[in-house]
Amino acid sequence: MVVVKMPDIIFLDVEMPGLSGLDLLKAMPLPRPHIILVTAFREYALEAFEYEVAGFLLKPVSRERFLKTVLKITIRYPQDFLALEAPNMESGQHATTGSRSGAYNDNLQSQGFIWVRSNGKFHRIPHWKILAVEALKDYIKIYMTQASGMLLVRENIGRMEQRLPGSDFIRIHRSFIINRHQVKTIEGNMVTMEGGEKYQISDSQRRDIIVKLLTRE
């Protein structure tokens, strides 16, 4: 008997003869594989978001962007790509999915950091740990993930925006910068983060900001 395995990732072009990629996406039963939508048109980003695609690639697609998109999916959903048990080539023992996924997360979390001064101390904050930044007159509040609390820093939000990598952070309002990797849902003008925190999107830039959240790599 031949066993056909469901693909882990499907690259789906929007513009196809006969049946569009979005029509095919609508017809797919749940649960779906991880879908990466490929198109030359940015306007499909909003519709793609409604179907919870895992990635969005704009043509022409560079090799670097292709690899980054796939890597982000494997890091975020390691349980979907790692075997339950894998042999350890050096010791002959088995490595569990949890240990392998931990290695992935360690690699992701080690990428970049900033130093800030708060309450007379200098704090080293990895980029991955920053959930959001809020402007407060001459100060900013830096909210952090994993119950790490908040730091009050004498800094201008515009300056902080320049210090944070644009590939990971986006300013959604004159008073808020958020970590785009921590976004869970977008509904109307409200962004909900993985931990349940909510931040408002600027009315005047709503569409552009949502497109950036969905497509920026």
Side-chain angles (χ1 to χ4, degrees), residues 43-174:
E43 54 265 31
Y44 285 116
L46 292 178
E47 192 167 358
F49 173 73
E50 294 177 0
Y51 292 97
E52 300 181 345
V53 300
F56 189 92
L57 290 174
L58 284 173
K59 298 178 181 178
V61 180
S62 67
R63 182 174 184 273
E64 179 184 5
R65 192 173 179 197
F66 170 87
L67 293 175
K68 283 179 65 177
T69 301
V70 174
L71 180 60
K72 280 164 56 178
I73 295 173
T74 58
I75 288 174
R76 187 166 188 178
Y77 305 99
Q79 69 279 4
D80 294 343
F81 300 94
L82 300 175
L84 292 178
E85 290 191 345
N88 186 311
M89 298 304 292
E90 294 183 0
S91 65
Q93 298 176 346
H94 289 80
T96 64
T97 300
S99 63
R100 291 284 301 277
S101 62
Y104 272 120
N105 289 332
D106 288 345
N107 181 64
L108 176 66
Q109 295 168 359
S110 67
Q111 302 303 307
F113 58 87
I114 59 170
W115 283 94
V116 298
R117 186 176 183 179
S118 178
N119 198 26
K121 299 178 183 179
F122 288 96
H123 301 261
R124 179 183 181 275
I125 311 176
H127 291 156
W128 66 268
K129 204 171 186 178
I130 299 173
L131 180 70
V133 179
E134 179 184 3
L136 187 66
K137 293 186 177 181
D138 296 330
Y139 290 82
I140 58 172
K141 290 181 178 180
I142 301 178
Y143 299 97
M144 291 176 287
T145 60
Q146 297 184 347
S148 298
M150 180 273 294
L151 290 176
L152 183 65
V153 179
R154 188 176 181 85
E155 178 74 275
N156 179 279
I157 194 169
R159 169 61 180 157
M160 181 56 64
E161 183 180 14
Q162 295 174 0
R163 294 179 62 191
L164 294 171
S167 59
D168 299 323
F169 295 87
I170 184 169
R171 191 166 181 176
I172 63 169
H173 189 278
R174 62 189 179 91

Side-chain angles (χ1 to χ4, degrees), residues 132-134 157 170-178 183 185-193 196-206 209-210 213:
V133 179
E134 179 184 3
I157 194 169
I170 184 169
R171 191 166 181 176
I172 63 169
H173 189 278
R174 62 189 179 91
S175 299
F176 293 109
I177 299 170
I178 63 169
V183 173
T185 62
I186 306 172
E187 183 177 4
N189 282 41
M190 195 64 63
V191 174
T192 302
M193 311 299 278
E197 303 85 355
K198 296 180 182 292
Y199 299 99
Q200 185 175 352
I201 297 176
S202 170
D203 290 332
S204 61
Q205 297 178 290
R206 177 180 176 274
I209 289 172
I210 291 176
L213 280 169

